Structures are given as C-alpha cells and as structure tokens.
Amino acid sequence: MKRTEKSIDRMISIISDLEAIAKLESGELEMQMEKFNLYNLVEDVFDLQEVRAKNRKVVLRYGKSMDKNTLVNADKQRIFQVLSNLVVNAIHYGFEGGHVTVSFYDMDKVILVQVRDTGVGISQSELPRIFERFYRVDKSRSREQGGTGLGLAIVKHIIEAHGQTINVNSSPGKGTSFTFTLEKAK
C-alpha cells in the first residue's frame, strides 16, 4: 500500500509539473508581479529546506556581501519555486558535508542571483540538456532522489516568463552554479 501511495503521489506530482510547464509555454500562466525583499524570500526557502540539508549534513549559507535590503520586482510565489528547486537540487547533488550558497549582486537594472553548491558537478557534455523536460544527469539516482525530472525545465520557463535569463556553470567534482537575473525594484 505504501509503495502504491508513493507511486500515486509521484504521478500527481508529474501531472502537476506538466500542467505548470504547459501553462508557462502557452503564456496562460501570468506572472503576478510585485515588489519584495529577496533576502527574506531566500530566508524562507532556507527555513523550509533546513531539515533536508541537515539530513545530508549540508550547510545553507548566504554570500559574503549580501545586501539584506535587496528588492526585486517579480512574481514572489514563482521565484520562491525557482529558488526552492535550485536549493533542493544543490542539497541532493551536493557532497555530504558540503554547502549551498545563495548570493546576489547588484548589476544596475537587474539583480544577479547565484545558487552554488559543492557537489558532484555536471559534465560539459550534459550542460546543454539540463533544462529539458525529464532529462536527468544522474539516471542511477533518479528514483531514490524523488522529483519528476521537470524542475529545471519549470525553473527556466519561470525565469523566461519574467523576461530574464538563467545560466549554469559546472565542474565535475567541484560543484555547480546556477545564475539568473531579476528586475531590480525601484
């Protein structure tokens, strides 16, 4: 029964994620733009993922020169989803005992957000495909890690729906860094 329940939950999660991607691609899902404090949003993500991080002995931390008063203009709920997905991935694919660092940088009209881990990394040949639906770099760990294989596709669509970009940099054995931009609030 427990296995069946887990399979049903996984199917519901996949359907929900596919529905979100379809709405994002069709433009049906409108962004609810608002001004909010990005530092506070990261704090909420860290609070929610604290247990998961402790279970893997991963430290969640802020970048060194973090401005606690950084304001952005974006869809707060969707950016929470983006940050949650990136932080969870960083915890899962980071080395046990490593760290996940979230930083942001003022780039005049935009804020550059970086989520970096000290983990297994991704080979250069895999990088062009990581934002594809159902694509997984580490196929052997897919089931045990959970997830749908749609998280990074959703992340990319959300950032693009904001008229912004997302990039990834990675070195096998050294970790991965995702960076994206958000409009700075005035």
Side-chain angles (χ1 to χ4, degrees):
M1 289 294 268
K2 284 193 185 269
R3 222 181 299 153
T4 302
E5 184 181 359
K6 196 172 181 180
S7 292
I8 291 169
D9 289 345
R10 183 170 165 73
M11 293 293 273
I12 290 169
S13 184
I14 289 171
I15 290 167
S16 175
D17 284 353
L18 282 171
E19 182 182 28
I21 284 179
K23 285 181 178 179
L24 284 162
E25 284 179 343
S26 69
E28 190 180 323
L29 190 64
E30 288 186 37
M31 297 294 112
Q32 303 299 314
M33 305 301 271
E34 64 180 287
K35 180 178 173 177
F36 63 90
N37 183 304
L38 188 57
Y39 183 90
N40 292 345
L41 190 69
V42 172
E43 205 168 45
D44 292 345
V45 171
F46 281 0
D47 286 347
L48 196 63
Q49 301 308 326
E50 186 178 359
V51 172
R52 180 175 277 143
K54 279 185 181 173
N55 289 341
R56 296 222 356 106
K57 298 179 180 88
V58 171
V59 176
L60 302 175
R61 63 186 195 183
Y62 299 96
K64 289 180 181 160
S65 59
M66 195 77 111
D67 181 355
K68 291 183 179 185
N69 299 308
T70 300
L71 300 176
V72 294
N73 187 40
D75 184 318
K76 187 176 182 179
Q77 179 184 345
R78 297 292 169 202
I79 298 305
F80 180 85
Q81 188 177 2
V82 165
L83 287 167
S84 293
N85 185 289
L86 294 176
V87 168
V88 166
N89 282 354
I91 292 167
H92 281 238
Y93 295 104
F95 290 130
E96 194 166 305
H99 58 267
V100 174
T101 306
V102 177
S103 305
F104 19 99
Y105 307 93
D106 189 328
M107 309 294 285
D108 193 31
K109 294 181 181 180
V110 296
I111 299 296
L112 179 72
V113 181
Q114 179 186 52
V115 179
R116 188 169 35 96
D117 68 53
T118 53
V120 295
I122 305 166
S123 72
Q124 295 301 307
S125 64
E126 304 267 7
L127 286 177
R129 299 195 60 202
I130 64 166
F131 292 108
E132 292 177 13
R133 294 178 191 188
F134 301 112
Y135 188 77
R136 292 182 182 262
V137 174
D138 187 352
K139 283 108 181 130
S140 66
R141 290 174 32 156
S142 297
R143 282 275 185 198
E144 79 181 50
Q145 293 295 338
T148 61
L150 295 167
L152 289 178
I154 291 171
V155 162
K156 183 177 186 205
H157 282 296
I158 290 171
I159 296 301
E160 289 177 348
H162 280 81
Q164 301 296 322
T165 57
I166 184 165
N167 295 292
V168 60
N169 234 324
S170 190
S171 299
K174 294 184 179 175
T176 302
S177 171
F178 285 89
T179 56
F180 61 93
T181 53
L182 292 173
E183 179 185 323
K184 187 161 68 171
K186 296 171 180 152

